[in-house]
Amino acid sequence: MDSFIIKGGTPLVGTVPISGAKNAALPILAATILTDEPVYLSNVPQLQDISTMLELLGGMGATFERSSEAAYTELKAQTSSIFRYQAPYELVKTMRASILVLGPLLARFGKAQVSFPGGCAIGSRPVDLHLKGLQALGADITVEGGYIHAAVPDKLRGAQFTFDVVSVTGTENVMMAAVLAEGTTVIHNAACEPEVVDLANFLITLGAQIRGAGTPHLTIEGVTRLGGGEYRVMMDRIEAGTFLAAGAISGGDLTITDVEPHAMNVVLEKFAAMGVELSVSANQIRLNTKGKRLKAVDITTAPFPGFPTDMQAQFVAMNAVAKGRSTVVETIFENRFMHVQELARMGADIKLQGNSAYIAGVAKLTGAPVMATDLRASASLVLAALVAEGETHIDRIYHIDRGYERIELKLNDVGAHIQRQK
Ligand code: EPZ
């Protein structure tokens, strides 16, 4: 099991390129099921979760031509050869986002068996709203033997559906199914995340008729079939925020490139409130701490355009060494403070009460052996290790490989001292 050994204390200085968004590439890859024509994707991030999605689709019979043997940054996806409609337990248990094949399989083939996704470290992660939304479009859905069995008697039909809770992949699943349904679907209380918009834009490139992406009300006019096309996946705003946090926590001067700042407004406001100097251009962001200690900021996570839950752990790490006290409230997931006890092992002063973390910034953290528990928690441990005195040993970093492309190489390129140990 891989681990990182990180020697802290060096301010990060330089430029980091940001990769494609994991949470846009995953639904877009699932959406290739919806057409029998070839689709050309670019800016696909090289991540464990993407490899898992490719394996899942490949197991159904889809084929992918890569840009090169080593990488699949560019991909030609062909799903006309799909002959199996199942997402098996072995793959779904490693990646919950496998549920994203359910809507497209139903829409294209009228049937699907998807292993019921379990919870994960950050919460129970129910999929009840996915199923209710697909049932509203006419799907028969039963759950037995640990599998979701879904079928459509004849064709999916457009319907009105309101999400009780804003769900990113729930919105994506129902939107993908609605694209080939008969008639009009209106989704209320839809997720507005940029990744949902990216999926909608991809589907529109293939000929789908979708209005209102990025707002809580999505209208989809069903079409009989989709064509092929090419599409560039949007940048990963969470990777971008994580690298800005690395520059901030280390007292450095870091520029990130290939970014879309408009997708990061609330996060950039929080960085500014911490006292860093931000220079924002069309596709670059420079964060300069000017060697000053960060100021603590309060955070409350919320669906987009609120503060993203996927950046919460990274801001807890920064607040842990910032000047002053802060409160971080996690409103999306019920167990997304697993990083707190690990940060405490490094000297952080954080009290947990319900869904709130009360943080008193300390002057310094010290390196210690810690354990990654989930994707973003592991990112926060890397951030803390960058500023901690001495060496930090982070175990189970397979979590971080799920969502960050070559993180240690990108960070070492700007002055970090991270060694990956097999
Ligand atoms: C997506 O997860 C992201 N994953 C998550 O990123 C992200 O944290 C999350 O959205 C919130 O922004 C992908 O896009 C692949 P939700 P998702 O459905 O869709 C409840 C990362 O680190 N809910 O928006 O699974 C749920 O319990 C990952 O990259 C139901 O009750 O999240 C939660 O409280 C982690 N019933 C809330 O909605 C449902 O059927 C939001 O969850 C579905 C969700």
Side-chain angles (χ1 to χ4, degrees):
M1 204 177 285
D2 283 10
S3 60
F4 277 160
I5 296 181
I6 302 178
K7 195 171 158 312
T10 311
L12 301 190
V13 179
T15 299
V16 180
I18 297 302
S19 304
K22 166 176 85 79
N23 292 348
L26 288 171
I28 286 171
L29 282 167
T32 60
I33 293 172
L34 292 165
T35 179
D36 57 5
E37 294 197 19
V39 167
Y40 297 85
L41 298 177
S42 58
N43 203 31
V44 178
Q46 312 296 297
L47 301 170
Q48 182 52 51
D49 273 10
I50 301 297
S51 303
T52 303
M53 181 61 84
L54 294 176
E55 189 182 344
L56 174 62
L57 294 169
M60 293 176 190
T63 59
F64 298 92
E65 281 170 43
R66 300 165 169 232
S67 41
S68 72
E69 197 34 52
Y72 45 66
T73 314
E74 270 85 35
L75 266 181
K76 175 188 173 188
Q78 183 83 47
T79 63
S80 52
S81 44
I82 284 184
F83 64 93
R84 192 179 294 137
Y85 315 109
Q86 195 179 66
Y89 170 71
E90 300 70 42
L91 287 177
V92 176
K93 75 176 179 187
T94 66
M95 185 184 68
R96 300 184 60 267
S98 309
I99 188 81
L100 283 166
V101 302
L102 182 57
L105 284 173
L106 269 180
R108 178 88 187 288
F109 301 105
K111 54 190 165 193
Q113 289 87 37
V114 175
S115 172
F116 199 81
C120 68
I122 64 177
S124 58
R125 311 296 296 275
V127 292
D128 57 312
L129 302 178
H130 294 240
L131 305 187
K132 277 187 192 137
L134 295 170
Q135 284 167 327
L137 296 178
D140 290 336
I141 294 184
T142 55
V143 179
E144 54 190 90
Y147 273 77
I148 297 165
H149 297 270
V152 187
D154 44 14
K155 219 167 149 35
L156 290 172
R157 293 193 192 298
Q160 302 254 353
F161 180 72
T162 301
F163 275 90
D164 299 340
V165 176
V166 173
S167 167
V168 172
T169 50
T171 300
E172 291 166 346
N173 236 334
V174 177
M175 175 167 68
M176 289 189 282
V179 155
L180 294 180
E182 220 150 60
T184 305
T185 296
V186 182
I187 301 173
H188 298 292
N189 202 23
C192 305
E193 270 65 9
E195 295 76 19
V196 176
V197 177
D198 212 36
L199 171 63
N201 290 339
F202 168 66
L203 291 168
I204 290 165
T205 305
L206 304 186
Q209 293 180 24
I210 301 172
R211 292 195 317 277
T215 79
H217 306 283
L218 268 175
T219 302
I220 301 111
E221 305 292 346
V223 294
T224 48
R225 65 185 298 279
L226 290 182
E230 54 186 67
Y231 195 77
R232 178 180 168 79
V233 175
M234 73 173 280
M235 64 96 193
D236 193 316
R237 63 191 169 103
I238 304 301
E239 184 198 21
T242 304
F243 278 101
L244 289 179
I249 202 169
S250 66
D253 177 1
L254 204 68
T255 298
I256 56 175
T257 59
D258 309 321
V259 293
E260 298 160 42
H262 65 83
M264 303 177 65
N265 289 338
V266 67
V267 172
L268 295 178
E269 282 167 23
K270 288 295 179 183
F271 276 116
M274 295 192 104
V276 301
E277 185 188 81
L278 286 175
S279 321
V280 182
S281 67
N283 68 353
Q284 288 199 16
I285 300 172
R286 178 180 175 184
L287 180 148
N288 190 351
T289 60
K290 296 191 177 275
K292 283 191 302 191
R293 187 178 179 191
L294 300 174
K295 284 184 273 185
V297 284
D298 292 340
I299 300 280
T300 299
T301 64
F304 194 88
F307 187 91
T309 173
D310 291 351
M311 282 298 302
Q312 177 258 103
Q314 296 90 318
F315 271 77
V316 166
M318 288 190 285
N319 274 335
V321 292
K323 189 170 178 326
R325 291 181 170 280
S326 54
T327 302
V328 175
V329 184
E330 173 55 63
T331 69
I332 307 291
F333 292 114
E334 65 266 30
N335 188 34
R336 203 170 198 177
F337 282 122
M338 305 278 275
H339 41 290
V340 167
Q341 73 251 20
E342 299 303 307
L343 293 171
R345 293 172 49 73
M346 301 173 72
D349 178 356
I350 308 174
K351 302 261 178 311
L352 285 181
Q353 201 171 351
N355 67 346
S356 301
Y358 300 95
I359 305 164
V362 294
K364 72 176 176 67
L365 295 175
T366 30
V370 291
M371 192 173 76
T373 51
D374 60 271
L375 170 54
R376 306 305 173 182
S378 37
S380 83
L381 298 180
V382 171
L383 295 176
L386 291 173
V387 70
E389 244 171 35
E391 266 189 10
T392 300
H393 190 125
I394 305 179
D395 212 352
R396 302 189 178 184
I397 53 151
Y398 60 87
H399 289 291
I400 208 159
D401 293 332
R402 294 189 51 179
Y404 291 92
E405 184 175 334
R406 301 174 296 119
I407 195 166
E408 75 272 19
L409 301 183
K410 289 189 178 183
L411 286 171
N412 287 342
D413 275 356
V414 287
H417 300 284
I418 304 177
Q419 204 192 340
R420 181 184 286 255
Q421 261 199 344
K422 291 282 172 204

